[in-house]
Amino acid sequence: MGIEVRNITKTFGTFAALRDVSLGVATGELVALLGPSGSGKTTLLRIIAGLEEPDPGSGAILFHDEDVARRRVSSRRVGFVFQHYALFRQMTVFENVAFGLRVRPKRLRPSRNLVKYKVLRLLKLVQLESMANRYPHQLSGGQRQRVALARALAIEPKVLLLDEPFGALDARVRQELRQWLRRLHDEIHLTSVFVTHDQDEALELADRVLVMNEGRIEQIGTPDEVFHRPATEFVVKFMGQVNFFHGRLEGDKVHFSTMAWDWPEHAGASTQPARVFVRPHELDVDVERNGQPSLQAVVTRIHSAGPNVRLELRAASGEPLCAELTQERFRSLNLSVGNTVYVTPRDVTVFADESPK
Amino acid sequence: MTLKQHSILPGFGLTMGFTLFYLSLIVLIPLAGLLLKSATISWDQFYAAVTDPQVVASYKITFGASLVAASVNAVFGLAVAWVLVRYSFPGKNIVDAMVDLPFAMPTAVSGIALTAIYAPNGWIGRWLDPLGIEVAYTQLGIMVALTFIGLPFVVRTLQPALEDMDVEIEEAAASLGATRLQTFVRVIFPAIMPALLTGFALAFARALGEYGSVVFISGNLPMKTQIVPLLIMTKLEQYNYAEAAAIAVVALGASFAVLLFINIVQWWSRRYAA
């Protein structure tokens, strides 16, 4: 196991940032900590790094099966990349990357030539060889973040931790750097954890995604599992826009609006209220009833600029809905605002509603 | 190249004109007057006036004591600024306000207070006296007075620089394996160096010109504890304006050279800044 964290609790005053969180990251794996702000994801990352102390009574923190919980950050050998780069501005790019090697105790410090060799190799890895003598303020945001990454890698860390590494960059650079980081990870296979509040980023980049909310882990799984088989309502909502219906579980079916849907998991249990979620792309839209039970709605707005067309609808009952269709489908339906349409779900996610008692 | 470039910030001509006028009125004209006055005596007389052993001794005392005082302030002012910026503790605002007191007090009052405290029978002096440490009426006393009046300059220039420095920078250094000492020496110190130099220069300049507080504690013994401003005052009381001006011109020239040097060092240490 690359990183193992057992039963970590952290409170700031009366605010519980982490409640009994455990986590394992396989060696060479890239894991995303995903959650809204205040969910505890950054606190967890900082505790792994040793920048924050967990509450007394918390369990172990292991890197490659070695307990590091009592070690200070400076002896944990973590590569930490900060959201705002935290580069040393009075040092050149070269000096920044060399820092971790030059502060080593004398007997472990590489020779001047070896430092130079290692730094230049890292700068090549992050594609900044030509920038070695620049100062951080002469670089763009994306370049600065790559320097920060090279600096973190210079100490040959046991684990790499990235705190919202793309948070301060503009959308296009963010996209490029994301793909670049994934390729880099595939090349060096360093056990890595990164924090993000952007679900697209987590789903695209990570081997596994850990969704956090209010100091707890909601779900751990591959991007596929988290997106297609969300474990909790929170995960459903956090993974993007979703339509919500109040429903009822009865027998092996879930009933909502005017529709019923097979839900064999519930077979045999007693009737109970349910919450039903349907993603916009899981709604089929037609201009006439196709025989199946469907929901009648009126088109209120059309967003057609993009790979897909998004329709904002209002159901006959007054609830707003959102549907997403391909451009071809949209053209063949020939829709405009004010048209009446009939929507049928292709797939649903159902949670038994236990809250009102 | 066009001379007249339109800027969206209005009023350049007006404010620049005012700046030049104001600097001339407040700084340049009095200094020119000083130079003119010193020029009313011949070169030989000028040279004799400024190389008089008593004058040379006073130059050494003033510059030496100012340098020591500014250095002491640079070290302990940094500690004070660090504590005020980095930690929160009860009464912090009061401590913060206390830093400005040397600015606000009439210098004569500080001088008398320091003398009373450091005199052999004073609150602190009585403990130092048995150890053989004399403060009042010695060069040490001059340094104490100059340190007192220079402290706010260092603290006030360092505070914004320290506040500017992200804690993340220190965390980054620690995560890379640096010890606290390495972090301070390699990361924090270079970053606050320009501000520290500014504070040092201000405290030094202030100490060079300080008169009120020093005359009480120094005892004004010729060749031992006589500072340049006092010597100038003495010449003035003897209606020897030209010699007073001559002594002042040399002091001024030397101060300017030192401040210019500090500015150059500072400019060099800021080379990485945007």
Side-chain angles (χ1 to χ4, degrees), chain A residues 86-120:
Chain A
L87 294 177
F88 307 128
R89 60 183 174 161
Q90 74 277 12
M91 297 183 200
T92 61
V93 167
F94 184 95
E95 289 165 337
N96 264 283
V97 178
F99 184 86
L101 300 171
R102 287 177 173 169
V103 297
R104 281 193 191 164
K106 217 164 198 130
R107 67 199 159 75
L108 297 174
R109 201 179 303 160
S111 71
R112 185 183 288 260
N113 280 331
L114 189 56
V115 168
K116 195 173 172 189
Y117 170 76
K118 287 187 170 195
V119 171
L120 290 179

Side-chain angles (χ1 to χ4, degrees), chain A residues 46 51 72-74 78 80 82-91 99-100 102-104 135 137 151-152 155, chain B residues 161 164-166 168-169 171-180 182-183 186-188 190-191 271-274:
Chain A
R46 290 173 61 86
L51 293 170
R72 308 175 67 151
V73 53
S74 51
V78 290
F80 201 96
F82 294 85
Q83 181 178 2
H84 298 289
Y85 329 125
L87 294 177
F88 307 128
R89 60 183 174 161
Q90 74 277 12
M91 297 183 200
F99 184 86
R102 287 177 173 169
V103 297
R104 281 193 191 164
Y135 285 97
H137 76 265
R151 183 179 68 175
I155 61 167
Chain B
D164 228 29
M165 232 185 40
D166 240 322
E168 277 191 0
I169 298 282
E171 290 179 344
S175 77
L176 293 166
T179 62
R180 292 297 295 165
Q182 283 173 322
T183 304
R186 285 166 174 264
V187 177
I188 299 172
R271 68 202 179 281
Y272 55 82

Side-chain angles (χ1 to χ4, degrees), chain B residues 103-176:
Chain B
F103 269 146
M105 264 212 280
T107 49
V109 176
S110 349
I112 292 168
L114 287 172
T115 311
I117 290 169
Y118 284 102
N121 56 357
W123 287 348
I124 300 178
R126 80 174 62 164
W127 301 106
L128 295 177
D129 199 42
L131 303 172
I133 303 170
E134 287 176 67
V135 178
Y137 317 124
T138 66
Q139 293 186 2
L140 189 59
I142 301 177
M143 291 171 199
V144 169
L146 295 182
T147 306
F148 173 80
I149 53 135
L151 177 73
F153 293 94
V154 176
V155 176
R156 290 294 178 240
T157 48
L158 271 175
Q159 266 176 321
L162 285 171
E163 273 160 12
D164 228 29
M165 232 185 40
D166 240 322
V167 182
E168 277 191 0
I169 298 282
E170 284 167 59
E171 290 179 344
S175 77
L176 293 166

Side-chain angles (χ1 to χ4, degrees), chain A residues 86-346:
Chain A
L87 294 177
F88 307 128
R89 60 183 174 161
Q90 74 277 12
M91 297 183 200
T92 61
V93 167
F94 184 95
E95 289 165 337
N96 264 283
V97 178
F99 184 86
L101 300 171
R102 287 177 173 169
V103 297
R104 281 193 191 164
K106 217 164 198 130
R107 67 199 159 75
L108 297 174
R109 201 179 303 160
S111 71
R112 185 183 288 260
N113 280 331
L114 189 56
V115 168
K116 195 173 172 189
Y117 170 76
K118 287 187 170 195
V119 171
L120 290 179
R121 207 185 50 185
L122 279 165
L123 287 179
K124 195 169 175 181
L125 185 71
V126 299
Q127 297 157 5
L128 287 172
E129 308 107 294
S130 58
M131 304 284 176
N133 293 316
R134 302 259 185 116
Y135 285 97
H137 76 265
Q138 297 169 311
L139 304 181
S140 71
Q143 290 171 331
R144 286 182 211 187
Q145 197 56 296
R146 266 144 57 198
V147 174
L149 187 62
R151 183 179 68 175
L153 293 175
I155 61 167
E156 286 154 27
K158 293 179 179 148
V159 301
L160 182 63
L161 307 172
L162 307 101
D163 184 11
E164 305 235 8
F166 315 118
L169 302 169
D170 59 57
R172 203 176 53 79
V173 180
R174 183 188 294 218
Q175 183 69 32
E176 275 173 23
L177 210 53
R178 209 193 268 179
Q179 291 164 358
W180 174 82
L181 184 68
R182 182 66 231 192
R183 284 198 302 273
L184 183 75
H185 182 263
D186 291 339
E187 213 172 299
I188 60 180
H189 277 295
L190 189 59
T191 308
S192 309
V193 178
F194 75 99
V195 159
T196 179
H197 58 258
D198 177 344
Q199 77 279 4
D200 291 333
E201 196 168 288
L203 296 177
E204 182 179 324
L205 198 48
D207 295 320
R208 279 193 308 150
V209 178
L210 187 152
V211 185
M212 291 191 69
N213 181 36
E214 293 180 345
R216 282 195 197 87
I217 295 174
E218 296 272 338
Q219 187 174 3
I220 308 181
T222 63
D224 243 28
E225 285 166 356
V226 171
F227 188 80
H228 292 295
R229 291 196 296 283
T232 66
E233 268 187 57
F234 176 82
V235 178
V236 176
K237 287 178 186 159
F238 200 75
M239 286 299 139
Q241 203 174 5
V242 69
N243 296 299
F244 166 67
F245 303 92
H246 285 289
R248 195 174 76 254
L249 280 165
E250 207 176 311
D252 60 354
K253 278 190 162 43
V254 56
H255 300 264
F256 62 101
S257 279
T258 52
M259 292 169 287
W261 193 270
D262 284 337
W263 200 252
E265 285 93 325
H266 190 258
S270 60
T271 299
Q272 70 185 117
R275 299 163 77 81
V276 180
F277 296 90
V278 185
R279 296 242 171 250
H281 69 268
E282 292 168 343
L283 278 180
D284 271 337
V285 177
D286 214 330
V287 283
E288 44 202 43
R289 288 185 195 276
N290 57 3
Q292 293 193 9
S294 60
L295 247 170
Q296 188 185 336
V298 176
V299 179
T300 56
R301 205 174 148 81
I302 300 171
H303 306 273
S304 55
N308 291 317
V309 180
R310 261 181 44 232
L311 299 180
E312 284 176 28
L313 311 168
R314 192 191 314 281
S317 55
E319 294 160 272
L321 294 173
C322 182
E324 208 173 290
L325 348 164
T326 61
Q327 295 279 0
E328 292 77 17
R329 177 75 181 148
F330 173 68
R331 272 195 297 274
S332 73
L333 288 174
N334 197 17
L335 287 174
S336 53
V337 172
N339 287 163
T340 299
V341 292
Y342 299 91
V343 295
T344 325
R346 234 177 297 127

